[in-house]
Amino acid sequence: MEIIIPTLDKLPTAAQTFVEHIGGRTIFAFYGKMGAGKTTFVKAVCEALGVEEVITSPTFAIVNEYESSRTGDSIYHFDFYRIKRLEEVYDMGYEEYFYSGQLCFIEWPELIEELLPEDAVRVEIEERGDGSRVVRWND
């Protein structure tokens, strides 16, 4: 699947399209260069899922938990950019999140690749020269 986001004002529509393709999957690993728009896209997806609280990057907290106002389900948003050792991820109890059955959106999954569940959906976000973004994953 591929979604093209030509401008920032099209982000909510792109996020809604992504949400419509989530299906029964729960683990989404977002790959892309620094500044590609991973956090911005995850925020828009959380909003499309009915998160009403302020959505912030979990860069320092490693994980933020949100609640969907539509379903009452938890949504976990991870940012592993600052992880130095896998032991940090073990210590935070990543299994409780990844295998909870709740949605998990993971930024910088390259740093914990060996811990990702086999069924994790790998989502690539790429910035084009014209400033547009392309979001791709195997549907």
Side-chain angles (χ1 to χ4, degrees):
M1 180 75 183
E2 180 176 281
I3 300 172
I4 297 173
I5 309 169
T7 57
L8 201 53
D9 64 317
K10 303 295 183 192
L11 186 57
T13 303
Q16 185 58 46
T17 299
F18 184 84
V19 167
E20 291 167 4
H21 287 86
I22 285 177
R25 296 165 296 186
T26 58
I27 310 294
F28 294 86
F30 290 86
Y31 296 83
K33 294 180 180 176
M34 179 75 75
K38 296 180 296 293
T39 301
T40 302
F41 188 70
V42 170
K43 286 179 184 180
V45 169
C46 287
E47 289 169 356
L49 288 165
V51 173
E52 295 176 353
E53 50 203 292
V54 176
I55 301 164
T56 60
S57 173
T59 300
F60 294 101
I62 300 176
V63 62
N64 287 343
E65 180 179 356
Y66 304 111
E67 183 179 318
S68 169
S69 64
R70 294 186 189 140
T71 64
D73 291 334
S74 292
I75 299 169
Y76 300 111
H77 180 193
F78 297 85
D79 184 334
F80 288 115
Y81 182 73
R82 296 194 181 281
I83 291 296
K84 303 292 184 226
R85 299 176 336 233
L86 278 179
E87 288 77 23
E88 295 174 64
V89 183
Y90 286 112
D91 290 345
M92 69 173 285
Y94 80 94
E95 292 120 329
E96 291 181 37
Y97 297 102
F98 287 7
Y99 299 100
S100 68
Q102 303 297 308
L103 285 171
C104 294
F105 299 128
I106 304 164
E107 296 184 50
W108 299 102
E110 301 89 337
L111 302 174
I112 61 143
E113 193 76 41
E114 64 193 68
L115 302 179
L116 289 175
E118 277 187 34
D119 62 347
V121 178
R122 283 148 172 85
V123 181
E124 191 77 37
I125 299 181
E126 175 189 345
E127 181 180 13
R128 293 179 167 174
D130 63 1
S132 66
R133 305 297 200 271
V134 180
V135 181
R136 292 185 192 95
W137 71 98
N138 290 331
D139 200 16

Short mmCIF file of all heavy atoms in Angstrom, two decimals, residues 1-3 5 18 21-22 25 27-33 36-38 41-42 45 104-110 113 116 120-126 134-139:
data_model
loop_
_atom_site.label_atom_id
_atom_site.label_comp_id
_atom_site.label_asym_id
_atom_site.label_seq_id
_atom_site.Cartn_x
_atom_site.Cartn_y
_atom_site.Cartn_z
N MET A 1 0.86 -1.18 0.00
CA MET A 1 0.00 0.00 0.00
C MET A 1 0.90 1.23 0.00
O MET A 1 1.97 1.22 0.59
CB MET A 1 -0.89 -0.06 1.25
CG MET A 1 -1.83 1.08 1.41
SD MET A 1 -3.20 0.93 0.28
CE MET A 1 -4.09 2.39 0.60
N GLU A 2 0.43 2.26 -0.64
CA GLU A 2 1.19 3.51 -0.70
C GLU A 2 0.23 4.69 -0.56
O GLU A 2 -0.82 4.72 -1.20
CB GLU A 2 1.94 3.59 -2.03
CG GLU A 2 2.75 4.85 -2.19
CD GLU A 2 3.55 4.85 -3.49
OE1 GLU A 2 4.61 4.18 -3.50
OE2 GLU A 2 3.13 5.49 -4.45
N ILE A 3 0.59 5.62 0.28
CA ILE A 3 -0.16 6.86 0.45
C ILE A 3 0.80 8.00 0.15
O ILE A 3 1.89 8.06 0.72
CB ILE A 3 -0.70 7.02 1.89
CG1 ILE A 3 -1.62 5.86 2.26
CG2 ILE A 3 -1.42 8.35 2.04
CD1 ILE A 3 -2.03 5.86 3.73
N ILE A 5 1.37 11.99 0.47
CA ILE A 5 0.91 13.17 1.20
C ILE A 5 1.57 14.38 0.53
O ILE A 5 2.72 14.71 0.83
CB ILE A 5 1.30 13.10 2.69
CG1 ILE A 5 0.85 11.76 3.29
CG2 ILE A 5 0.68 14.27 3.46
CD1 ILE A 5 1.40 11.48 4.67
N PHE A 18 -4.76 5.37 6.31
CA PHE A 18 -3.91 4.40 7.02
C PHE A 18 -4.75 3.63 8.04
O PHE A 18 -4.68 2.40 8.10
CB PHE A 18 -2.75 5.14 7.69
CG PHE A 18 -1.76 4.21 8.35
CD1 PHE A 18 -0.75 3.63 7.63
CD2 PHE A 18 -1.85 3.94 9.71
CE1 PHE A 18 0.17 2.77 8.25
CE2 PHE A 18 -0.95 3.10 10.33
CZ PHE A 18 0.06 2.51 9.59
N HIS A 21 -6.78 0.80 6.89
CA HIS A 21 -6.04 -0.38 6.47
C HIS A 21 -5.32 -1.10 7.63
O HIS A 21 -4.57 -2.02 7.39
CB HIS A 21 -5.03 0.00 5.38
CG HIS A 21 -5.69 0.28 4.07
ND1 HIS A 21 -6.18 1.53 3.76
CD2 HIS A 21 -5.96 -0.52 3.03
CE1 HIS A 21 -6.72 1.48 2.56
NE2 HIS A 21 -6.61 0.25 2.10
N ILE A 22 -5.56 -0.67 8.86
CA ILE A 22 -4.92 -1.32 10.00
C ILE A 22 -5.39 -2.76 10.15
O ILE A 22 -4.59 -3.66 10.42
CB ILE A 22 -5.16 -0.52 11.31
CG1 ILE A 22 -4.28 0.73 11.31
CG2 ILE A 22 -4.90 -1.38 12.55
CD1 ILE A 22 -4.48 1.64 12.51
N ARG A 25 -4.11 -5.93 12.68
CA ARG A 25 -2.69 -5.82 13.06
C ARG A 25 -2.51 -4.78 14.17
O ARG A 25 -3.27 -3.83 14.25
CB ARG A 25 -1.86 -5.47 11.83
CG ARG A 25 -1.95 -6.62 10.81
CD ARG A 25 -1.49 -6.24 9.48
NE ARG A 25 -2.38 -5.20 8.94
CZ ARG A 25 -2.30 -4.72 7.72
NH1 ARG A 25 -1.38 -5.16 6.91
NH2 ARG A 25 -3.13 -3.79 7.30
N ILE A 27 1.06 -4.01 15.63
CA ILE A 27 2.43 -3.49 15.76
C ILE A 27 2.85 -2.87 14.43
O ILE A 27 2.91 -3.54 13.40
CB ILE A 27 3.44 -4.60 16.12
CG1 ILE A 27 2.96 -5.42 17.32
CG2 ILE A 27 4.83 -4.01 16.35
CD1 ILE A 27 2.90 -4.66 18.61
N PHE A 28 3.16 -1.57 14.47
CA PHE A 28 3.57 -0.84 13.29
C PHE A 28 4.92 -0.18 13.56
O PHE A 28 5.05 0.64 14.47
CB PHE A 28 2.52 0.21 12.91
CG PHE A 28 1.23 -0.41 12.48
CD1 PHE A 28 0.27 -0.77 13.42
CD2 PHE A 28 0.99 -0.68 11.14
CE1 PHE A 28 -0.92 -1.38 13.03
CE2 PHE A 28 -0.20 -1.29 10.74
CZ PHE A 28 -1.15 -1.64 11.69
N ALA A 29 5.92 -0.56 12.77
CA ALA A 29 7.28 -0.04 12.92
C ALA A 29 7.52 0.98 11.81
O ALA A 29 7.45 0.64 10.63
CB ALA A 29 8.28 -1.18 12.82
N PHE A 30 7.78 2.22 12.19
CA PHE A 30 7.94 3.31 11.24
C PHE A 30 9.42 3.59 10.97
O PHE A 30 10.16 3.98 11.88
CB PHE A 30 7.25 4.58 11.76
CG PHE A 30 5.76 4.46 11.75
CD1 PHE A 30 5.08 3.89 12.81
CD2 PHE A 30 5.03 4.89 10.65
CE1 PHE A 30 3.69 3.76 12.79
CE2 PHE A 30 3.65 4.78 10.61
CZ PHE A 30 2.98 4.20 11.69
N TYR A 31 9.81 3.41 9.72
CA TYR A 31 11.18 3.63 9.28
C TYR A 31 11.24 4.90 8.44
O TYR A 31 10.32 5.19 7.68
CB TYR A 31 11.67 2.46 8.42
CG TYR A 31 11.75 1.15 9.16
CD1 TYR A 31 10.63 0.36 9.35
CD2 TYR A 31 12.96 0.72 9.69
CE1 TYR A 31 10.71 -0.84 10.04
CE2 TYR A 31 13.05 -0.49 10.38
CZ TYR A 31 11.91 -1.26 10.54
OH TYR A 31 11.99 -2.45 11.23
N GLY A 32 12.33 5.62 8.56
CA GLY A 32 12.53 6.82 7.75
C GLY A 32 13.64 7.65 8.35
O GLY A 32 13.96 7.53 9.53
N LYS A 33 14.20 8.49 7.51
CA LYS A 33 15.29 9.35 7.97
C LYS A 33 14.77 10.37 8.98
O LYS A 33 13.57 10.63 9.07
CB LYS A 33 15.89 10.09 6.78
CG LYS A 33 16.59 9.19 5.79
CD LYS A 33 17.16 10.00 4.66
CE LYS A 33 17.87 9.08 3.66
NZ LYS A 33 18.36 9.83 2.51
N ALA A 36 11.78 12.89 8.34
CA ALA A 36 10.90 12.36 7.28
C ALA A 36 9.42 12.56 7.61
O ALA A 36 8.59 12.55 6.70
CB ALA A 36 11.19 10.88 7.03
N GLY A 37 9.11 12.72 8.88
CA GLY A 37 7.72 12.94 9.26
C GLY A 37 7.09 11.79 10.03
O GLY A 37 5.87 11.70 10.12
N LYS A 38 7.90 10.93 10.62
CA LYS A 38 7.38 9.79 11.37
C LYS A 38 6.48 10.23 12.53
O LYS A 38 5.34 9.78 12.65
CB LYS A 38 8.52 8.91 11.89
CG LYS A 38 9.35 8.25 10.80
CD LYS A 38 10.47 7.39 11.36
CE LYS A 38 11.51 8.16 12.14
NZ LYS A 38 12.32 9.10 11.35
N PHE A 41 3.27 11.93 11.36
CA PHE A 41 2.30 10.99 10.82
C PHE A 41 1.66 10.18 11.95
O PHE A 41 0.43 9.99 11.96
CB PHE A 41 2.95 10.06 9.79
CG PHE A 41 1.96 9.20 9.07
CD1 PHE A 41 1.07 9.74 8.15
CD2 PHE A 41 1.89 7.83 9.32
CE1 PHE A 41 0.14 8.95 7.50
CE2 PHE A 41 0.96 7.03 8.68
CZ PHE A 41 0.08 7.60 7.76
N VAL A 42 2.44 9.71 12.90
CA VAL A 42 1.88 8.94 14.02
C VAL A 42 0.89 9.80 14.80
O VAL A 42 -0.19 9.33 15.19
CB VAL A 42 2.99 8.38 14.94
CG1 VAL A 42 2.39 7.81 16.23
CG2 VAL A 42 3.79 7.31 14.22
N VAL A 45 -2.30 9.85 12.86
CA VAL A 45 -2.98 8.56 12.95
C VAL A 45 -3.68 8.43 14.31
O VAL A 45 -4.83 7.99 14.38
CB VAL A 45 -1.99 7.39 12.71
CG1 VAL A 45 -2.61 6.05 13.08
CG2 VAL A 45 -1.52 7.39 11.26
N CYS A 104 0.51 -0.48 18.77
CA CYS A 104 1.84 0.02 19.10
C CYS A 104 2.43 0.65 17.84
O CYS A 104 2.54 -0.01 16.80
CB CYS A 104 2.76 -1.12 19.55
SG CYS A 104 2.29 -1.89 21.11
N PHE A 105 2.79 1.92 17.94
CA PHE A 105 3.45 2.63 16.86
C PHE A 105 4.88 2.90 17.30
O PHE A 105 5.12 3.53 18.33
CB PHE A 105 2.73 3.94 16.55
CG PHE A 105 1.30 3.74 16.11
CD1 PHE A 105 0.27 4.43 16.73
CD2 PHE A 105 0.98 2.86 15.10
CE1 PHE A 105 -1.05 4.26 16.32
CE2 PHE A 105 -0.34 2.67 14.68
CZ PHE A 105 -1.35 3.38 15.30
N ILE A 106 5.84 2.39 16.53
CA ILE A 106 7.24 2.39 16.94
C ILE A 106 8.08 3.22 15.98
O ILE A 106 8.14 2.91 14.79
CB ILE A 106 7.78 0.94 16.98
CG1 ILE A 106 6.91 0.09 17.90
CG2 ILE A 106 9.25 0.92 17.39
CD1 ILE A 106 7.12 -1.40 17.72
N GLU A 107 8.74 4.25 16.51
CA GLU A 107 9.69 5.02 15.73
C GLU A 107 11.10 4.54 16.04
O GLU A 107 11.38 4.13 17.16
CB GLU A 107 9.57 6.51 16.06
CG GLU A 107 8.23 7.10 15.66
CD GLU A 107 8.19 8.59 15.91
OE1 GLU A 107 9.12 9.29 15.47
OE2 GLU A 107 7.23 9.04 16.56
N TRP A 108 11.97 4.57 15.08
CA TRP A 108 13.35 4.10 15.17
C TRP A 108 13.41 2.62 15.54
O TRP A 108 14.17 2.21 16.42
CB TRP A 108 14.18 4.96 16.12
CG TRP A 108 14.24 6.38 15.66
CD1 TRP A 108 13.53 7.43 16.15
CD2 TRP A 108 14.99 6.89 14.55
NE1 TRP A 108 13.80 8.57 15.42
CE2 TRP A 108 14.70 8.27 14.43
CE3 TRP A 108 15.88 6.32 13.64
CZ2 TRP A 108 15.27 9.08 13.46
CZ3 TRP A 108 16.45 7.13 12.67
CH2 TRP A 108 16.14 8.49 12.60
N PRO A 109 12.64 1.77 14.86
CA PRO A 109 12.66 0.34 15.17
C PRO A 109 13.97 -0.34 14.77
O PRO A 109 14.24 -1.44 15.25
CB PRO A 109 11.49 -0.21 14.35
CG PRO A 109 11.39 0.73 13.19
CD PRO A 109 11.73 2.09 13.77
N GLU A 110 14.77 0.32 13.95
CA GLU A 110 16.07 -0.25 13.56
C GLU A 110 16.90 -0.60 14.78
O GLU A 110 17.69 -1.55 14.75
CB GLU A 110 16.88 0.74 12.70
CG GLU A 110 16.23 1.21 11.43
CD GLU A 110 15.35 2.44 11.59
OE1 GLU A 110 14.87 2.72 12.71
OE2 GLU A 110 15.12 3.13 10.59
N GLU A 113 15.40 -3.97 16.27
CA GLU A 113 14.90 -4.87 15.22
C GLU A 113 14.72 -6.31 15.70
O GLU A 113 13.70 -6.94 15.41
CB GLU A 113 15.87 -4.83 14.03
CG GLU A 113 15.33 -5.46 12.78
CD GLU A 113 14.32 -4.60 12.05
OE1 GLU A 113 14.51 -3.39 11.96
OE2 GLU A 113 13.33 -5.17 11.58
N LEU A 116 11.37 -7.02 17.56
CA LEU A 116 10.07 -6.82 16.92
C LEU A 116 9.38 -8.16 16.67
O LEU A 116 10.01 -9.11 16.22
CB LEU A 116 10.23 -6.10 15.58
CG LEU A 116 10.61 -4.63 15.62
CD1 LEU A 116 10.84 -4.11 14.21
CD2 LEU A 116 9.54 -3.81 16.33
N ALA A 120 5.03 -7.71 12.85
CA ALA A 120 5.08 -6.24 12.84
C ALA A 120 5.00 -5.74 11.40
O ALA A 120 5.63 -6.28 10.50
CB ALA A 120 6.37 -5.75 13.49
N VAL A 121 4.20 -4.71 11.20
CA VAL A 121 4.06 -4.10 9.88
C VAL A 121 5.15 -3.04 9.74
O VAL A 121 5.25 -2.13 10.57
CB VAL A 121 2.66 -3.46 9.70
CG1 VAL A 121 2.54 -2.79 8.34
CG2 VAL A 121 1.57 -4.50 9.90
N ARG A 122 5.97 -3.19 8.72
CA ARG A 122 7.06 -2.24 8.49
C ARG A 122 6.57 -1.14 7.56
O ARG A 122 6.21 -1.41 6.42
CB ARG A 122 8.27 -2.97 7.92
CG ARG A 122 8.99 -3.72 9.03
CD ARG A 122 9.65 -5.00 8.59
NE ARG A 122 10.49 -5.58 9.63
CZ ARG A 122 10.04 -6.37 10.59
NH1 ARG A 122 8.77 -6.67 10.67
NH2 ARG A 122 10.85 -6.88 11.49
N VAL A 123 6.55 0.08 8.10
CA VAL A 123 6.03 1.23 7.38
C VAL A 123 7.20 2.16 7.06
O VAL A 123 7.93 2.56 7.96
CB VAL A 123 4.98 2.00 8.22
CG1 VAL A 123 4.41 3.18 7.45
CG2 VAL A 123 3.87 1.06 8.69
N GLU A 124 7.36 2.47 5.80
CA GLU A 124 8.45 3.35 5.35
C GLU A 124 7.87 4.73 5.04
O GLU A 124 6.87 4.84 4.33
CB GLU A 124 9.07 2.75 4.09
CG GLU A 124 10.35 3.40 3.65
CD GLU A 124 11.54 2.96 4.49
OE1 GLU A 124 11.60 1.79 4.89
OE2 GLU A 124 12.40 3.82 4.74
N ILE A 125 8.49 5.77 5.60
CA ILE A 125 8.09 7.14 5.29
C ILE A 125 9.28 7.81 4.63
O ILE A 125 10.38 7.82 5.18
CB ILE A 125 7.65 7.92 6.55
CG1 ILE A 125 6.44 7.23 7.19
CG2 ILE A 125 7.33 9.36 6.19
CD1 ILE A 125 5.90 7.91 8.42
N GLU A 126 9.02 8.36 3.46
CA GLU A 126 10.08 8.97 2.67
C GLU A 126 9.68 10.39 2.28
O GLU A 126 8.55 10.63 1.84
CB GLU A 126 10.31 8.14 1.41
CG GLU A 126 11.30 8.71 0.44
CD GLU A 126 11.31 7.94 -0.87
OE1 GLU A 126 10.77 6.82 -0.93
OE2 GLU A 126 11.86 8.48 -1.84
N VAL A 134 5.83 10.07 1.15
CA VAL A 134 5.25 8.82 0.70
C VAL A 134 5.30 7.85 1.88
O VAL A 134 6.36 7.69 2.50
CB VAL A 134 6.02 8.22 -0.50
CG1 VAL A 134 5.38 6.91 -0.94
CG2 VAL A 134 6.07 9.20 -1.65
N VAL A 135 4.17 7.25 2.18
CA VAL A 135 4.07 6.25 3.24
C VAL A 135 3.78 4.93 2.56
O VAL A 135 2.80 4.80 1.82
CB VAL A 135 2.94 6.61 4.23
CG1 VAL A 135 2.85 5.58 5.35
CG2 VAL A 135 3.13 8.01 4.80
N ARG A 136 4.65 3.92 2.79
CA ARG A 136 4.50 2.61 2.15
C ARG A 136 4.56 1.49 3.17
O ARG A 136 5.34 1.56 4.11
CB ARG A 136 5.64 2.36 1.17
CG ARG A 136 5.67 3.20 -0.03
CD ARG A 136 6.81 2.74 -0.97
NE ARG A 136 7.04 3.71 -2.00
CZ ARG A 136 7.95 4.67 -1.97
NH1 ARG A 136 8.76 4.75 -0.95
NH2 ARG A 136 8.06 5.53 -2.95
N TRP A 137 3.75 0.46 2.93
CA TRP A 137 3.82 -0.76 3.73
C TRP A 137 3.16 -1.88 2.94
O TRP A 137 2.43 -1.64 1.98
CB TRP A 137 3.15 -0.57 5.09
CG TRP A 137 1.64 -0.47 5.05
CD1 TRP A 137 0.76 -1.48 5.28
CD2 TRP A 137 0.86 0.69 4.76
NE1 TRP A 137 -0.53 -1.01 5.16
CE2 TRP A 137 -0.49 0.32 4.83
CE3 TRP A 137 1.16 2.01 4.44
CZ2 TRP A 137 -1.54 1.20 4.61
CZ3 TRP A 137 0.12 2.90 4.21
CH2 TRP A 137 -1.21 2.50 4.30
N ASN A 138 3.46 -3.09 3.33
CA ASN A 138 2.82 -4.25 2.71
C ASN A 138 1.49 -4.48 3.39
O ASN A 138 1.45 -4.75 4.60
CB ASN A 138 3.69 -5.50 2.83
CG ASN A 138 4.91 -5.40 1.96
OD1 ASN A 138 4.90 -4.74 0.92
ND2 ASN A 138 5.99 -6.06 2.35
N ASP A 139 0.44 -4.36 2.65
CA ASP A 139 -0.92 -4.45 3.20
C ASP A 139 -1.38 -5.88 3.28
O ASP A 139 -1.22 -6.69 2.47
CB ASP A 139 -1.87 -3.62 2.34
CG ASP A 139 -3.13 -3.26 3.07
OD1 ASP A 139 -3.17 -3.37 4.29
OD2 ASP A 139 -4.09 -2.87 2.39
#
